[in-house]
Amino acid sequence: MHIKGKISYSSPSNIALVKYWGKEPGDQIPMNPSLSMTLRECKSFTTVEYEVKTDAEPSIEVVFEGKRSIDIEAKLQRWFTKISYFFSWLNYATLKVESHNNFPHSAGIASSASGMSTMAMCLYGIDKHIKKHNENDINLLSNISRLGSGSASRSVLGPYALWGRFDGFENSTNDYAVRYPYVHETFLDLHDTIIVVDKEPKKISSRDGHSLMEGNPYRQARIFQANKNLETLLYALKEGNWEKFQHVTESEALSLHALMMSSEGGMLLLKGGTVDWIHYIRNKREETGLPMAFTMDAGANIHLLYPAGVHEQVMGILEESPVPSIDFIQDSTGKGPEKMIDEYEEI
Ligand code: PMV
């Protein structure tokens, strides 16, 4: 077999409403189920030029944001050893990867979710040509993405994706994310304004953060809480209940950071500005009655979620705030990856 081609996809990041934080023994098995909203604007763009020839030596070269990245090459190679079970042709593929994001680094937007899912889309596209099939096995795609980065499993789906076994949703599994379909129109077009208060790279990777949950004294309580919050959130999404949505979203953001702080070594990612913004948002919400709910990833920046209809008012509140910010990044509910280029020839 000898095939050559070029394939390109974009894939969005996502923001978790119920957080994945901590693993179970095994290969990327989450400690608790999580649920996220897929984003529309913040994306990774990946192009793979490939040549697959039986018995050739495998090789990979990655250019990320214009620069060769040996770190990403090593990360992808580790991932390939796991997924060559599905894509055995990786053992004799020559790959040239170019990838970039349209959002700034360290902006509180999960770039591993968009980056790994966009790479999974490209590999699956190549697999279709090699095996001559035209399936669109979204479970397999999500599974492959998960093996690269847990949160990436949720980026291949939109608008809401649930990953991890949860008793309250029959099709849920630890192997891949599934779409949560029962969403009231209130939540089908949410805006997410990311309030950037800090641009410094994180002092600790999420991989190390997950492993700190192993010895966390609140581990069992967290598993219970995440399941309970997920149950409430699924109800809120279905019924269009903003109050419950807001309650869970904020409880999860604060709990994530509380778990980090209570881990060995006391991981503190919040900045003074983060806390000031939270107080400001809560005060303004009480004053105006506007529906807005904040969340955070493993970082200092804030995602402020609200229905599209109140965008002007919310932005007015953010812009007149005395609390400083570096930037506001605008995003909203999205659908998932998109194909951009797919050309190949059999030799
Ligand atoms: O997928 P990872 O290993 O980068 O972990 C993501 C962890 C959080 O973003 C903090 C939460 C989540 O569920 O996305």
Side-chain angles (χ1 to χ4, degrees):
M1 183 242 307
H2 192 182
I3 184 170
K4 258 176 150 176
K6 182 174 174 175
I7 190 161
S8 185
Y9 270 89
S10 72
S11 186
S13 184
N14 65 72
I15 178 69
L17 305 175
V18 171
K19 310 288 180 185
Y20 151 54
W21 196 245
K23 302 183 194 199
E24 289 292 342
D27 210 350
Q28 206 81 289
I29 306 298
M31 195 182 93
N32 59 265
S34 59
L35 184 137
S36 58
M37 182 180 92
T38 305
L39 297 180
R40 182 191 293 268
E41 303 296 338
C42 291
K43 294 179 191 166
S44 293
F45 298 81
T46 298
T47 303
V48 181
E49 283 182 58
Y50 57 96
E51 179 163 3
V52 182
K53 188 177 174 198
T54 317
D55 294 335
E57 277 297 306
S59 77
I60 181 158
E61 190 183 298
V62 177
V63 173
F64 177 64
E65 313 255 296
K67 274 203 222 136
R68 174 107 188 248
S69 173
I70 311 284
D71 287 353
I72 301 181
E73 285 167 13
K75 189 175 175 188
L76 291 183
Q77 266 156 349
R78 282 197 300 274
W79 181 45
F80 287 177
T81 58
K82 297 182 192 174
I83 62 171
S84 59
Y85 172 79
F86 303 103
F87 302 151
S88 57
W89 50 266
L90 281 170
N91 293 318
Y92 39 87
T94 305
L95 306 175
K96 283 196 172 151
V97 181
E98 188 285 320
S99 187
H100 61 273
N101 302 331
N102 67 353
F103 52 89
H105 250 317
S106 317
I109 304 161
S111 59
S112 63
S114 54
M116 292 311 271
S117 58
T118 191
M119 191 65 203
M121 295 302 301
C122 291
L123 295 181
Y124 189 57
I126 300 172
D127 190 66
K128 286 185 186 184
H129 301 322
I130 291 175
K131 297 190 187 141
K132 300 192 192 314
H133 70 82
N134 205 16
E135 286 157 26
N136 204 11
D137 188 343
I138 194 79
N139 297 344
L140 175 64
L141 259 169
S142 173
N143 193 358
I144 287 161
S145 305
R146 168 186 69 90
L147 291 166
S149 162
S151 57
S153 68
R154 301 182 311 235
S155 268
V156 297
L157 300 150
Y160 291 88
L162 192 167
W163 170 45
R165 181 67 206 135
F166 175 60
D167 285 343
F169 194 66
E170 213 187 320
N171 296 330
S172 59
T173 159
N174 288 337
D175 293 339
Y176 48 82
V178 291
R179 197 166 74 87
Y180 179 66
Y182 310 115
V183 182
H184 190 273
E185 60 180 353
T186 314
F187 297 109
L188 287 176
D189 188 13
L190 287 191
H191 274 217
D192 176 6
T193 298
I194 302 149
I195 305 169
V196 182
V197 295
D198 181 54
K199 277 196 159 164
E200 289 292 305
K202 280 184 288 194
K203 299 253 172 2
I204 181 160
S205 70
S206 51
R207 189 159 55 148
D208 294 341
H210 288 298
S211 65
L212 282 173
M213 279 309 292
E214 275 160 38
N216 188 293
Y218 303 110
R219 186 180 167 99
Q220 284 314 316
R222 167 60 190 158
I223 295 172
F224 179 79
Q225 180 203 33
N227 278 275
K228 196 137 189 46
N229 274 345
L230 183 56
E231 189 184 350
T232 308
L233 182 64
L234 295 190
Y235 170 84
L237 286 173
K238 195 168 164 187
E239 298 299 320
N241 187 320
W242 183 268
E243 213 175 297
K244 284 195 160 48
F245 174 88
Q246 175 193 305
H247 173 79
V248 169
T249 301
E250 298 190 357
S251 149
E252 282 290 312
L254 296 172
S255 299
L256 171 71
H257 284 268
L259 289 166
M260 292 186 222
M261 288 184 240
S262 55
S263 288
E264 190 60 37
M267 184 177 173
L268 179 59
L269 299 182
L270 301 178
K271 298 280 174 177
T274 319
V275 178
D276 289 344
W277 270 107
I278 291 175
H279 286 302
Y280 179 75
I281 289 162
R282 285 187 161 172
N283 287 340
K284 283 289 168 184
R285 180 166 66 210
E286 213 174 298
E287 212 176 290
T288 61
L290 281 172
M292 31 184 191
F294 69 81
T295 186
M296 284 171 280
D297 252 336
N301 300 320
I302 293 177
H303 289 245
L304 190 63
L305 303 171
Y306 53 88
V310 296
H311 179 70
E312 298 292 308
Q313 287 130 290
V314 171
M315 283 316 296
I317 287 174
L318 298 187
E319 268 149 16
E320 71 177 26
S321 168
V323 187
S325 67
I326 298 170
D327 201 3
F328 296 128
I329 297 174
Q330 303 296 352
D331 215 323
S332 57
T333 321
K335 293 200 174 84
E338 278 169 35
K339 182 153 79 180
M340 295 179 315
I341 301 172
D342 188 3
E343 46 195 46
Y344 70 101
E345 55 173 324
E346 287 182 72
I347 299 157

